[in-house]
Amino acid sequence: MDIKKIAFIVYRNNASCFSECVRYIKELYVPEGYSVDILPMENTKSVPLAYNAAMESSEAKYKIYLQDDTFILHRDLIPDILKIFNEDSSI
């Protein structure tokens, strides 16, 4: 497990939406020492099974699941999420 990696697992249904979703992910602030992976999923018969397969294929400690028509506007999402997890070990 890579404790300094965040994976965005994105269900890709529409190429233009996916490109826009990725553009927003790339605009997020990534704290020094951390890295981001974007894992697209597509052509699946079962979205839950596809998410599960992507989850298992990623070594990232933190995984964020999105549809391709989701655009993250809050640029400090990653530091805010890390703060929540670091402040409460029960999460």
Side-chain angles (χ1 to χ4, degrees):
M1 178 183 304
D2 188 338
I3 64 171
K4 296 283 188 170
K5 185 176 281 188
I6 298 101
F8 286 86
I9 300 170
V10 184
Y11 182 72
R12 181 180 170 171
N13 193 34
N14 177 295
S16 63
C17 283
F18 178 75
S19 295
E20 189 75 0
C21 178
V22 168
R23 185 177 73 79
Y24 277 87
I25 292 170
K26 289 182 176 181
E27 292 291 323
L28 296 176
Y29 173 72
V30 180
E32 188 172 331
Y34 283 84
S35 63
V36 168
D37 279 345
I38 300 171
L39 305 171
M41 303 176 331
E42 58 190 337
N43 299 327
T44 63
K45 292 182 180 176
S46 167
V47 174
L49 288 176
Y51 276 134
N52 196 42
M55 176 187 71
E56 291 175 2
S57 73
S58 174
E59 63 188 32
K61 178 176 182 178
Y62 305 99
K63 297 171 179 78
I64 299 170
Y65 301 87
L66 303 171
Q67 291 286 123
D68 61 3
D69 60 353
T70 304
F71 311 123
I72 302 171
L73 301 176
H74 182 59
R75 293 191 71 217
D76 287 329
L77 175 74
I78 294 172
D80 288 350
I81 288 172
L82 293 172
K83 181 179 180 206
I84 290 168
F85 281 102
N86 289 328
E87 287 180 352
D88 188 345
S89 62
S90 70
I91 297 176

